[in-house]
Amino acid sequence: MEKPGQLDVKFQLIEGGIMPRYTYEGDAGLDCYARMEQDLVLLPCHWAYDEDRASHRLERWCDERQLDPSQLRQAFIHAVPLGIAMELPDGYEAQIRPRSGLSLQGLFCPNSPATIDSGYRGEVHFICANLKAEPFVIRNADRICQMLIFPVPRVNLVPSDQLATSSRGTRRFGSSGKE
Ligand SMILES: O=c1ccn([C@H]2C[C@H](O)[C@@H](COP(=O)(O)OP(=O)(O)OP(=O)(O)O)O2)c(=O)[nH]1
């Protein structure tokens, strides 16, 4: 039952998915979990400049950790399934954002904050890449990102020949630091 300041949103679990949850009371974001059939290894972005060497580098890295590279799905950038679909009320969006702790480990979300439209009924995904020098492994049920839900006004575009003046005017791109 919805209370003041709360919003009911229908979430559907996809087989193998885990319901997002607030980890601590007072958290703004619902933590979301990877739904992976196979472990994923995100290769460091800079390896993409020398793809021929990337597989040798990965083999060596796996050797040192007694991992079998043939058991790992490899990618430079990947849309990780989150095991959930949703029915957002009209006038709302969900945003998918990285978790700071994983960002400090080099996990990068190129479209952050990602937009989940209210009409989208497919599985929600987290798009990510690896900015660090070492490969980054994502496994099933890893708590990989967080979701926040916001109201979004439907905008009526009003064609206008003239806009009201403002103190910023047309200044941009660091203009406030210059004389
Ligand atoms: O990180 C993301 C981004 C998007 N989506 C899903 C939900 C969203 O509603 C839909 C479309 O996203 P978006 O509008 O950002 O993508 P697009 O490239 O503009 O695709 P489209 O032409 O389908 O709108 O894809 C995700 O699951 N994860």
Side-chain angles (χ1 to χ4, degrees):
M1 186 50 190
E2 206 172 277
K3 296 188 191 138
Q6 298 186 356
L7 179 74
D8 288 348
V9 178
K10 285 187 188 166
F11 277 77
Q12 183 179 38
L13 270 187
I14 292 163
E15 203 183 329
I18 299 174
M19 236 0 143
R21 62 181 69 124
Y22 295 109
T23 300
Y24 293 114
E25 209 179 308
D27 277 2
L30 287 155
D31 284 335
C32 298
Y33 299 80
R35 183 181 74 88
M36 315 286 286
E37 269 148 35
Q38 196 180 10
D39 290 349
L40 169 77
V41 61
L42 283 176
L43 305 174
C45 288
H46 69 96
W47 285 13
Y49 293 107
D50 190 354
E51 283 207 48
D52 292 342
R53 268 186 68 206
S55 57
H56 298 300
R57 285 173 136 177
L58 180 64
E59 270 171 34
R60 204 166 349 117
W61 186 84
C62 285
D63 259 5
E64 288 162 9
R65 284 154 190 83
Q66 294 175 330
L67 294 170
D68 177 356
S70 68
Q71 299 301 307
L72 295 171
R73 185 165 184 183
Q74 300 169 32
F76 286 105
I77 181 162
H78 194 75
V80 175
L82 297 180
I84 44 160
M86 336 171 36
E87 187 183 320
L88 282 163
D90 277 349
Y92 285 84
E93 66 153 344
Q95 293 187 2
I96 305 294
R97 301 181 184 177
R99 296 181 57 218
S100 317
L102 295 181
S103 297
L104 274 170
Q105 293 174 44
L107 194 69
F108 170 65
C109 176
N111 65 333
S112 176
T115 303
I116 309 303
D117 301 291
S118 63
Y120 179 66
R121 298 286 180 269
E123 184 166 11
V124 179
H125 287 69
F126 173 58
I127 299 174
C128 52
N130 175 8
L131 286 183
K132 273 239 166 134
E134 294 280 299
F136 188 102
V137 177
I138 299 175
R139 297 193 165 86
N140 187 46
D142 279 354
R143 201 152 46 97
I144 195 75
C145 59
Q146 54 186 324
M147 171 188 287
L148 283 84
I149 294 172
F150 294 99
V152 184
R154 188 78 195 164
V155 173
N156 296 323
L157 281 76
V158 183
S160 307
D161 291 331
Q162 198 148 22
L163 305 176
T165 54
S166 72
S167 59
R168 175 177 283 277
T170 57
R171 285 184 284 273
R172 60 183 175 235
F173 304 154
S175 64
S176 63
K178 300 173 196 156
E179 272 315 304

